[in-house]
Structure formats: structure tokens, C-alpha cells
Amino acid sequence: MIPGALSAVKRIEIFTAVFLSVTTVAVSVLDFLIYSETFKNIEGGILGWTGNLTLPLLLLLCNLMYFFILERRKAARRIHQAESGTRVHQLAIRDPATGFFNRRHFYEQLSIEHARSVRHGRAMSVLIASFDDLKRVEQLHGSVHADQTLRRLGQLLKENLRETDIFARYTSDQFIVLLPETAQPGAVRVAQKLRDELARVVKTENGYSRATVSIGVAGLEPTMKSEHELVDSAAEALHDARSHGANNVSWPHDGDTEPAPLALTS
């Protein structure tokens, strides 16, 4: 049982036990007084009526308290089962190193969004962001510093997206973003904004790192037969961006690659 629910149930049970004990003592004292020598000559009336009902009332009170405790236990068990199911689900869809959605969950959401976009004729785009020279950061500062930098960069990226966008870790140094209701030109502007936001000094627990990203952008085209072609197109655009150096944004069809004014420096 979860600690919070267990603690609540214990408090209820302790209170119930104390209340039941006090009530039992009070009823016993009343019963003693009713049948004591002092009141033995009093027949009928309120004392006689109460004395006749003492035992039934006590049994009824015990049953009510027992029923109350059982219901509290059942409620706590249901809470525990629900929270356990939620934790298991979160573990299944989250990347353990960063806490962001994992690749599997991204593809599940991508499939759903692709079907909706095709059915209603709506736009959607995908971005793949690769952090430039993350391996060099690891070599210079260690794996702990590199992991912290990766998480911080991911947080900055996610903070600049909409709540409806699906953001996930794609590979060891890449994140992928699904942009519903966004055509390729709009996705390119989003990528440029993200690139400019991330190309700055990032503070981590072990110091400071300058990190930049190269981003590949692709929008859904009528000729694409599946959502996987959309991801492949974004991956090809990312490859083109990285082939032109660090801190670039690239997108397909027109061959445009926009170099950024900043480059990664140690």
C-alpha cells in the first residue's frame, strides 16, 4: 500500500479504536450504574429503557465502525492500484535518463496524429534536433556534466514549444518533436527560434557549457505513404544541416540550409 494511503488508514483506524474504546467504557459504566444497588429499585423509565438497549447499541456501533474501517481499506487499495498503474505507464513511456517521452511513445503519438492529419487534410511537421559536439563536452567535462547539459538543453527546447507539441528523446544526442497543425514553413520558423534559444551558455550543476544544435525539418507531403517517411525526411534534412557545420537548420525540397552566426567553441 502506498505510504500516504497507509498513513491515512492508520490514522482512521487509531481514531476509530480510541473512539470505540471510550464509547465501550462509557456504555459499560452506564450499564453498571443502571444495574447497581443504587438504581436497582428503579424500574422502567429512561434508565430501564437504556439498560435494555445497551448491548444492541454496542453491537451496532461495533459493526458500523468495522464497516467504516473496511471501506477505508478498500479506498486506499483502489488509490494504490491506480497510482501503481500510473507509475508503470509513466515508466513505459519515459526516457529514464532525461524524464522526457521516449522514442516508442513518440511513434505511437505520431501514428495517431498522422491518421488524423490524413483524414482531415491537416498539416503536421517533424523536427529532429541534434546537439553539436556533445561527445566533446563529455570528453572535456565528463559524462555527468554531459548528461546534465543534455537534460538542460532538452528542458530549454521543451519550454519553447506548445503544450500540444510532442517532444521526445530520439537517440543519445537527439530529440524529436512532432508539431501538429503546423506546415513546413511554420516548422522552419520554430526550428530557427529553438536554434537561437539554445545557442547560448547553459548552466549546469558542474559549471557552464556552450552548446548548439543542428535541426532537420520536414512537413507532411501528400506523396508520403506513411508517417515514417516524414521522420526519414526530417532525418535527411538533419544530415544535410550537419554536413554544413554546426548550428544549422535545414529542410527538404529547396535545398535551403540556414547557417547560424554562432559556432560551438570550447
Side-chain angles (χ1 to χ4, degrees):
M1 187 174 294
I2 54 177
L6 180 60
S7 177
V9 171
K10 283 187 175 180
R11 287 196 297 269
I12 292 295
E13 291 178 350
I14 292 173
F15 172 79
T16 303
V18 172
F19 180 77
L20 185 58
S21 299
V22 173
T23 304
T24 302
V25 172
V27 172
S28 299
V29 171
L30 179 61
D31 188 64
F32 172 77
L33 291 175
I34 290 173
Y35 291 101
S36 66
E37 290 293 324
T38 305
F39 297 99
K40 67 179 181 179
N41 295 324
I42 301 178
E43 297 180 358
I46 186 64
L47 293 179
W49 175 76
T50 306
N52 293 332
L53 292 180
T54 299
L55 183 58
L57 287 175
L58 181 59
L59 292 176
L60 177 61
L61 180 62
C62 291
N63 287 330
L64 289 175
M65 291 301 175
Y66 180 69
F67 175 77
F68 182 68
I69 292 174
L70 287 181
E71 288 301 312
R72 292 297 300 177
R73 285 182 178 273
K74 291 178 181 178
R77 190 178 298 113
R78 287 193 294 267
I79 294 173
H80 171 60
Q81 292 173 347
E83 292 190 355
S84 296
T86 300
R87 285 197 297 269
V88 171
H89 177 67
Q90 288 298 317
L91 289 174
I93 66 175
R94 297 283 178 178
D95 172 60
T98 62
F100 300 123
F101 288 133
N102 57 25
R103 183 170 179 158
R104 174 184 175 183
H105 181 70
F106 174 83
Y107 273 107
E108 290 175 352
Q109 297 302 310
L110 176 65
S111 178
I112 295 172
E113 186 61 31
H114 176 261
R116 190 179 70 87
S117 296
V118 171
R119 182 168 59 252
H120 299 289
R122 296 177 179 175
M124 63 179 290
S125 297
V126 166
L127 311 179
I128 301 180
S130 177
F131 295 110
D132 301 318
D133 285 345
L134 187 64
K135 292 183 178 179
R136 189 171 70 169
V137 173
E138 182 176 359
Q139 292 173 352
L140 293 175
H141 304 285
S143 59
V144 174
H145 183 80
D147 289 342
Q148 292 171 351
T149 301
L150 181 66
R151 285 193 295 270
R152 181 56 183 148
L153 289 172
Q155 290 170 358
L156 287 173
L157 193 154
K158 191 173 185 300
E159 288 169 1
N160 285 274
L161 295 170
R162 303 170 300 182
E163 292 185 2
T164 55
D165 298 332
I166 307 299
F167 174 77
R169 189 176 186 182
Y170 193 54
T171 65
S172 60
D173 63 345
Q174 295 179 2
F175 288 103
I176 190 167
V177 185
L178 170 62
L179 302 174
E181 306 284 347
T182 306
Q184 183 170 288
V188 170
R189 290 192 292 271
V190 171
Q192 292 168 340
K193 175 185 175 182
L194 294 175
R195 188 272 317 276
D196 295 340
E197 181 67 22
L198 295 177
R200 65 179 187 175
V201 174
V202 178
K203 183 178 181 181
T204 64
E205 294 179 3
N206 291 339
Y208 293 83
S209 296
R210 168 168 289 185
T212 59
V213 291
S214 294
I215 304 177
V217 184
L220 182 65
E221 297 291 337
T223 56
M224 293 179 177
K225 298 180 180 180
S226 71
E227 63 272 21
H228 297 284
E229 291 187 26
L230 176 60
V231 176
D232 291 342
S233 181
E236 291 176 3
L238 173 62
H239 181 269
D240 182 65
R242 300 193 72 173
S243 67
H244 288 80
N247 208 25
N248 289 315
V249 175
S250 181
W251 53 97
H253 303 309
D254 52 13
D256 288 338
T257 299
E258 182 193 28
L262 295 177
L264 183 66
T265 59
S266 58

